[in-house]
Amino acid sequence: MIEKIALGLLGLAVGVLPTMVLLTTPVLAQSVVEEKGTLESVILAQAGALANVTLRLEDLPPGFTAMPPAEIAALKEELSQEQLNVENVFAFTRLQRFQLIMGITTRLETAQQQAEFDELLGDPEKLKSLLAENLEQTNVPAQALNNINNIGDAAAGVSFQVDLGNLLGQLEILGLRRNQMGAFVFVLYPDGDRPLYPIAQVGRLLDRRIQEVRTGGN
């Protein structure tokens, strides 16, 4: 059940990410070369460093478990087949006091990709419609996340009620960009509960790790 929800949410993100990723056409590839002249670009292009921009099990309170590495690898491979420039995929669940946390990080190597990402973040309703169009939503109005100040160069989020059949859930979606890295985070928990690990904490942690990559920190 949990893995099916995770797969469904991840599939929803596929619909929006292609507008923000590096396409492998010669013209765009040349433009990327022209724009990647700074030390920051060189650092961000290093896959080993970018692998640190993720949420880890040790970051979370006790009780969470990580999706098995083989399944994460399969999800990342599936996204890569969609020509998405995905760096990391992470997913964690907690059965007691249920919560699902998952996310995707991606490189935004051109100014155009960054602008398109920021444009999406400027419209939380569009963010919701693109990333959750296949979920069964209720009539309860969606709410913009209001606790995501000082995250990235740009960030926006939305929270709304979803019908999971035998359970009403609250789904929160956060998109953020810092420099040439973008991320989408999803947090799902029973409606009426409070998440054990809030989405703003995930966003701030990812933002900090992006900045550590920029400065060569650990």
Side-chain angles (χ1 to χ4, degrees), residues 61-217:
F64 279 91
T65 59
M67 183 177 284
E71 295 187 25
I72 290 291
L75 290 174
K76 186 173 180 179
E77 181 179 0
E78 181 179 344
L79 289 172
S80 297
Q81 291 173 356
E82 301 289 336
Q83 296 185 335
L84 304 182
N85 202 359
V86 174
E87 291 296 338
N88 282 310
V89 178
F90 56 83
F92 304 91
T93 57
R94 195 177 196 277
L95 293 179
Q96 293 184 344
R97 192 177 172 185
F98 170 72
Q99 185 176 353
L100 167 70
I101 301 173
M102 64 180 307
I104 304 164
T105 64
T106 181
R107 279 176 291 162
L108 307 166
E109 297 200 30
T110 71
Q112 180 179 352
Q113 290 163 2
Q114 293 163 30
E116 290 173 349
F117 197 98
D118 289 358
E119 183 179 356
L120 174 64
L121 297 184
D123 188 349
E125 186 61 34
K126 185 176 181 181
L127 184 71
K128 171 192 160 188
S129 64
L130 285 173
L131 294 178
E133 61 182 352
N134 295 325
L135 286 178
E136 187 66 34
Q137 300 176 40
T138 69
N139 293 325
V140 177
Q143 301 289 327
L145 296 181
N146 57 11
N147 59 343
I148 56 173
N149 296 327
N150 303 316
I151 299 179
D153 297 320
V158 64
S159 176
F160 52 95
Q161 191 181 73
V162 294
D163 187 347
L164 302 173
N166 59 351
L167 173 72
L168 284 179
Q170 194 71 21
L171 175 62
E172 297 178 350
I173 302 173
L174 170 66
L176 70 98
R177 180 187 65 78
R178 168 75 71 176
N179 302 312
Q180 294 163 302
M181 288 290 290
F184 286 109
V185 179
F186 305 87
V187 170
L188 178 67
Y189 54 93
D191 187 59
D193 284 2
R194 297 177 69 89
L196 193 61
Y197 196 86
I199 197 167
Q201 286 185 236
V202 182
R204 289 193 171 91
L205 179 57
L206 290 178
D207 186 27
R208 186 169 72 246
R209 289 189 171 149
I210 293 170
Q211 294 179 79
E212 289 171 354
V213 169
R214 289 183 59 224
T215 59

